[in-house]
């Protein structure tokens, strides 16, 4: 996709669109960002490992909630959700709303276990729970690969696509510029910089998206006209004797047919829950946010806030994407391969440009600059969090094994070098991504996740809830899961989905088993191997399980303790008033957490009531749009 044909095709010349006001806004915005990064770095001592990697375990609930939301809403998601909305209606909302339950599970179930075990990375938890090195090394390697191929590269591609649509800059120039700014403040500031800048960006992203959504709804005369207008949005050039130019008849339904639907409701309920559990409860990027909380109440409140924010994308990203198809059917909804290649350089389809197109056409000058700054910010925020988390993984899980004697200074240096290496790898990956079908980018992220993540979910869930699970079972479960997942992924690469008007000749495993259904089967297969392998080998010694499973948390307030130790509270539990300081590691004396035992039930109750209200809102929305 050369820079020329993608801009000349459907976009008017950017020079007239991008005014001085826009430029000023972008510059001011970036200046603010760097300032916030520097300010927050000065507040936290970042020359200690806990300061650089866990923000000193001193975060309040609101930056945590905002950061959980921002880390998951990169510019890739903005472009991907709006694009999938334009192509197929609102069903893709399930990917956002399903997160509510996973986020609540994270704060109420997983974080207490992680905090009481005193860990920094997720592989470290499995190592303490099962013993042995191989699971930890395997997981660290898998997370690094997943982040390069599904997170970093897709975010870079979509961010660069946005700049290209709006400014007509060269794809590589804009990408490299963003990487430099992003890398600079990640390397300089560590996690505190990432969390505070996330907060600023989330605020601006949500406000900008709301303004754009209001303008978009005004264009079509309000929400009431959306369904009717969307069902009429067809391109003028079509492929004869096919139906792919027709909008889906079930566009306004969340739950689609389990056999013929593009996002079947069975997969969106079960398969997606497995992927959501992996992403929200066991993925380093996300859990690292919650572990930096001052106390468990803060982690819970952060989860609730993030879940409320996750209810927004339907109205501010997905529906505007559908409106973009209504307003610009010839470009956004093109189906003729030659026409699509002329419009956006991808013969598969141009639904990905739905959101950038809306910004360029509808936003007034000044606000357009703000929106572009926000998209770059979204990109930078997800990149900073991935860079930071990946360098934590490499440093703590891989480097420490190779050099057990490494001092604090060396670890910090290695963390910074890894960030630089990741940046270089991602830049090299861009051309490969650019040539891969842009029209299927979002589906590609979800599909790759559903081939690689379910085994990890199965192992984590069994590790936390089934004390009998042991190292042999878990390791072989992961290996079998990996083999099955890679087999399906290989088939997918060899037999891509057919284009419009081409008969589907893929093997039944691909054509008939949706990737979300495959995730369920894969998780079940892994679980079976873990259970079988664990029952055939000796159980883990009881001493190993202390503080590492849900049933053996030694000082959980709600239940009487299982192993008979005195009742107290896990470090950073709801007992701590949200303002109080906590020891930074779980080994802190148990008595310290009981200093203000009069207040805790209040905060625990506040968090609990909020969670119940949240679930009611979520269920109501599901029922309304089902």
């Amino acid at each position: 996709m050369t820079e020329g044909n993608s801009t000349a095709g459907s976009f008017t010349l950017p020079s007239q669109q991008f005014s001085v006001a826009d430029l000023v806004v972008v510059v001011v915005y970036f200046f603010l960002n760097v300032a916030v990064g520097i300010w927050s770095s000065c507040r936290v001592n970042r020359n200690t490992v806990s300061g650089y990697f866990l923000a000193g375990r001193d975060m309040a609930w609101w930056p945590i909630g905002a950061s959980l939301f921002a880390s998951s809403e990169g510019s890739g998601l903005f472009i991907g959700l709006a694009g999938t909305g334009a192509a197929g209606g609102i069903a893709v909302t399930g990917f956002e709303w399903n997160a509510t339950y996973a986020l609540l599970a994270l704060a109420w179930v997983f974080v207490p276990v992680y905090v009481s075990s005193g860990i920094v990375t997720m592989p470290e938890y499995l190592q303490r729970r099962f013993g042995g090195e191989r699971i930890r090394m395997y997981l660290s390697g898998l997370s690094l690969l997943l982040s390069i191929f599904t997170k970093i590269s897709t975010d870079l591609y979509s961010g660069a696509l946005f700049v290209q649509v709006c400014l007509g800059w060269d794809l590589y120039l804009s990408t490299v510029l963003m990487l430099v700014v992003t890398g600079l403040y990640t390397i300089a500031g560590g996690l505190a910089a990432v969390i505070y800048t996330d907060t600023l960006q989330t605020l601006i992203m949500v406000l900008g998206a709301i303004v754009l959504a209001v303008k978009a709804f005004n264009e079509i005369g309000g929400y009431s006209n959306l369904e009717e207008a969307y069902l009429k949005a067809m391109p003028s050039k079509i492929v004869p004797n096919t139906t792919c130019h027709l909008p889906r008849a079930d566009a306004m339904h969340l739950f689609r047919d389990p056999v013929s639907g593009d996002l079947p409701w069975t997969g969106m309920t079960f398969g997606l829950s497995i992927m959501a559990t992996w992403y929200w409860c066991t993925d380093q990027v996300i859990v690292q946010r919650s572990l930096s909380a001052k106390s468990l109440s803060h982690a819970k409140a952060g989860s609730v806030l993030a879940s409320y924010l996750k209810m927004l994308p339907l109205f501010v990203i997905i529906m505007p994407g559908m409106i973009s198809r209504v307003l610009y059917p010839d470009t956004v909804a093109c189906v003729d391969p030659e026409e699509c290649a002329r419009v956006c350089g991808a013969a598969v389809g141009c639904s990905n440009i739905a959101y950038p197109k809306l910004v360029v056409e509808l936003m007034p000058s000044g606000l357009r600059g703000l929106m572009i700054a926000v998209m770059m910010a979204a990109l930078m925020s997800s990149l900073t969090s991935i860079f930071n988390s990946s360098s934590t993984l490499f440093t703590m899980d891989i480097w420490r094994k190779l050099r057990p004697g490494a001092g604090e200074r060396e670890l910090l240096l290695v963390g910074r070098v890894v960030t630089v290496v990741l940046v270089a790898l991602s830049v090299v990956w861009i051309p490969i991504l650019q040539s891969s079908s842009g029209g299927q980018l979002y589906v590609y992220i979800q599909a790759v996740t559903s081939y690689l993540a379910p085994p990890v979910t199965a192992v984590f869930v069994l590790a936390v809830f089934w004390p009998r699970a042991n190292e042999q079972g878990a390791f072989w479960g992961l290996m079998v899961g990996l083999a099955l997942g890679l087999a399906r992924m290989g088939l997918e690469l060899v037999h891509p989905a057919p284009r419009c008007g081409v008969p589907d000749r893929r093997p039944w495993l691909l054509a008939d088993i949706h990737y979300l259904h495959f995730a369920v089967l894969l998780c079940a297969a892994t679980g079976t191997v873990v259970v079988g392998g664990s029952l055939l080998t000796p159980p883990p010694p009881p001493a190993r399980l202390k503080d590492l499973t849900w049933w053996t948390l030694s000082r959980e307030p709600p239940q009487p303790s299982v192993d008979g130790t005195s009742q107290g509270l896990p470090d950073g539990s709801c007992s701590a008033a949200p303002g109080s300081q906590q020891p930074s590691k779980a080994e802190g004396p148990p008595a310290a957490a009981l200093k203000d035992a009069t207040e805790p039930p209040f905060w625990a109750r506040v968090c609990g009531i909020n969670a119940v209200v949240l679930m009611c809102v979520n269920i109501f929305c599901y029922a309304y749009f089902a």
Side-chain angles (χ1 to χ4, degrees), residues 143-390:
S143 317
L144 283 169
L145 284 178
L146 265 172
S147 60
I148 291 175
F149 296 128
T150 64
K151 297 176 189 167
I152 301 181
S153 52
T154 48
D155 272 345
L156 277 179
Y157 169 73
S158 35
L161 183 79
F162 204 93
V163 180
Q164 204 181 10
V165 169
C166 296
L167 310 186
W169 285 8
D170 179 32
L171 201 71
Y172 298 98
L173 181 69
S174 40
T175 315
V176 171
L177 176 81
M178 284 182 301
L179 276 171
V180 169
V181 178
T182 309
L184 275 180
Y185 77 58
T186 315
I187 295 169
L191 187 64
V194 174
I195 291 185
Y196 281 106
T197 44
D198 269 3
T199 313
L200 172 76
Q201 280 154 11
T202 311
L203 187 69
I204 298 187
M205 260 159 76
V206 172
L207 294 176
I210 290 172
V211 171
L212 187 56
V214 171
K215 286 193 76 87
F217 277 116
N218 280 344
E219 288 288 314
I220 60 161
Y223 172 72
S224 49
N225 298 346
L226 176 63
E227 183 167 14
E228 189 191 346
Y230 180 78
L231 292 178
K232 289 183 192 152
M234 293 169 224
S236 49
K237 253 194 188 175
I238 62 169
V239 179
N241 307 326
T242 60
T243 56
C244 33
H245 59 279
L246 297 171
R248 292 187 67 91
D250 55 5
M252 298 303 284
H253 299 282
L254 270 181
F255 288 139
R256 309 257 167 108
D257 186 285
V259 182
S260 64
D262 56 338
L263 293 168
W265 72 266
T266 43
M268 294 297 280
T269 309
F270 305 108
L272 189 54
S273 302
I274 291 168
M275 285 153 68
T277 307
W278 166 77
Y279 185 72
W280 294 102
C281 304
T282 72
D283 188 327
Q284 183 68 24
V285 174
I286 297 298
V287 176
Q288 197 179 9
R289 302 278 169 280
S290 293
L291 288 182
S292 65
K294 286 180 184 179
S295 70
L296 194 59
S297 320
H298 277 277
K300 287 181 176 179
S303 263
V304 171
L305 174 65
S307 305
Y308 275 122
L309 290 172
K310 293 292 273 183
M311 302 302 283
L312 292 174
L314 170 63
F315 310 101
V316 298
I317 303 179
I318 295 166
M319 285 180 175
M322 295 168 71
I323 295 171
S324 183
R325 174 175 180 146
V326 172
L327 299 176
Y328 319 108
D330 286 346
T331 52
V332 176
C334 70
V335 283
D336 178 55
E338 288 159 15
E339 179 68 12
C340 289
R342 191 183 68 76
V343 170
C344 66
V348 212
C350 291
S351 58
N352 275 345
I353 66 168
Y355 205 79
K357 184 92 179 126
L358 219 49
V359 173
V360 173
E361 301 286 346
L362 294 187
M363 286 297 231
S365 85
L367 277 181
R368 189 186 305 125
L370 183 65
M371 219 34 208
I372 288 164
V374 168
M375 293 320 261
M376 312 289 266
L379 179 101
M380 284 165 42
S381 117
S382 53
L383 284 179
T384 39
S385 51
I386 295 158
F387 287 152
N388 187 280
S389 303
S390 306

